[in-house]
Amino acid sequence: MDLQKPDLHQQPGPAPAAAAARASDADLRASDADRDRIADILREALAEGRLTADEHAERVEAVLSAKTVGELEVFIRDLPAAHGRRAAPAWAPAPHRPTDAIPHDPDDNVVAVFSGAVRKGRWRAGRRIHAYAIFGSVEIDLSEAIFEYRQVVIKAFSVCGSVEVRVPENISLRGSGVGVLGDFQVDTLDSEEPDAPVVYVDGWAVLGSVDAKPRRGKFIADILDRVQRAVDRKVDRSLRKHLDR
């Protein structure tokens, strides 16, 4: 059977039909589904930190008024989704050791000697907290605390006592300690929010216990809600402007 050999010297040229098809697609009238697709991409870019809240609100407002598919594509031209690439994860596991400058002296001492001591509710967590439980119990509850720093170190020392540390579910928790005829346990937790605080717990427990873990159902609102409320307000204003036209 004879096969026709291709001309190896012939240079591949542009595909006029494909180029014309792309051009005609750009001129198509945009549908609600097209606008929703672009809005979803912009929302992901905001969550990943690729767009500021102001940039996101501005682009969403323009998406709502876009008439053609080509006009919509302009708003994601500088984002990975427009180039067929998968966006890199917006978060990485928290380091096992503090990376910021942490003071040697504690901002707060919580001491329980034959008694109990509690830090809970709406309180400001410092960069370093020391907890001492000697024949007593210490509870440090950060589930409603105000985090003024990116990293918080808790040094826990228990002698025939107990130290409990509770954190919100959407921050990172790290730690390591020593138990001597006692129990030192830290439940490792990684937040998917790049700006979430990191709490490090270390120390030792002698004939006692140190237990650090997330409090289920508790979420810190200072980081996430502050940004989300600002975005929602801008998006609501953009939608109202669009509907009033």
Side-chain angles (χ1 to χ4, degrees):
M1 180 173 60
D2 293 333
L3 296 176
Q4 183 180 1
K5 294 182 179 180
D7 185 357
L8 299 180
H9 298 287
Q10 183 178 1
Q11 296 297 326
R22 286 195 298 272
S24 62
D25 288 344
D27 294 333
L28 288 175
R29 299 285 294 189
S31 67
D32 289 340
D34 293 327
R35 294 187 184 89
D36 290 343
R37 177 177 63 86
I38 299 300
D40 288 341
I41 294 174
L42 294 175
R43 191 179 304 111
E44 291 179 4
L46 173 66
E48 293 166 0
R50 300 180 187 274
L51 295 176
T52 65
D54 289 337
E55 290 171 333
H56 174 263
E58 181 181 354
R59 295 194 188 193
V60 167
E61 182 177 0
V63 163
L64 294 175
S65 60
K67 298 296 190 296
T68 67
V69 174
E71 291 176 6
L72 289 175
E73 297 296 334
V74 171
F75 303 116
I76 61 169
R77 185 177 295 166
D78 57 348
L79 300 176
H83 302 276
R85 295 201 301 267
R86 185 179 180 84
W91 65 279
H96 288 273
R97 296 290 179 186
T99 57
D100 292 347
I102 304 295
H104 293 289
D105 296 328
D107 299 312
D108 192 8
N109 284 306
V110 188
V111 182
V113 180
F114 290 96
S115 62
V118 177
R119 289 289 187 278
K120 65 187 300 184
R122 198 70 173 161
W123 62 289
R124 298 181 183 275
R127 283 178 292 178
R128 178 184 286 270
I129 302 169
H130 285 186
Y132 303 90
I134 302 173
F135 292 94
S137 63
V138 170
E139 180 185 357
I140 299 177
D141 189 345
L142 296 167
S143 60
E144 298 179 7
I146 300 172
F147 287 85
E148 297 183 321
Y149 302 98
R150 175 74 169 75
Q151 299 182 355
V152 175
V153 172
I154 298 177
K155 303 284 289 187
F157 307 98
S158 172
V159 179
C160 298
S162 65
V163 176
E164 284 190 0
V165 178
R166 297 295 180 264
V167 302
E169 282 193 273
N170 56 339
I171 74 167
S172 294
L173 177 62
R174 286 282 184 270
S176 62
V178 177
V180 180
L181 299 178
D183 184 33
F184 197 108
Q185 182 174 346
V186 177
D187 291 354
T188 299
L189 180 66
D190 268 322
S191 174
E192 295 186 2
E193 298 296 329
D195 295 327
V198 185
V199 175
Y200 302 88
V201 181
D202 62 14
W204 41 261
V206 179
L207 294 171
S209 65
V210 174
D211 181 44
K213 61 185 178 182
R215 185 175 292 283
R216 299 303 177 190
K218 291 291 186 179
F219 298 90
I220 181 172
D222 297 277
I223 294 175
L224 304 180
D225 286 355
R226 186 179 305 160
V227 175
Q228 190 60 47
R229 285 196 298 266
V231 171
D232 289 344
R233 285 196 297 269
K234 291 180 179 294
V235 172
D236 287 343
R237 286 198 298 267
S238 299
L239 289 173
R240 284 197 295 268
K241 288 181 182 177
H242 178 70
L243 294 175
D244 291 340
R245 289 173 183 169

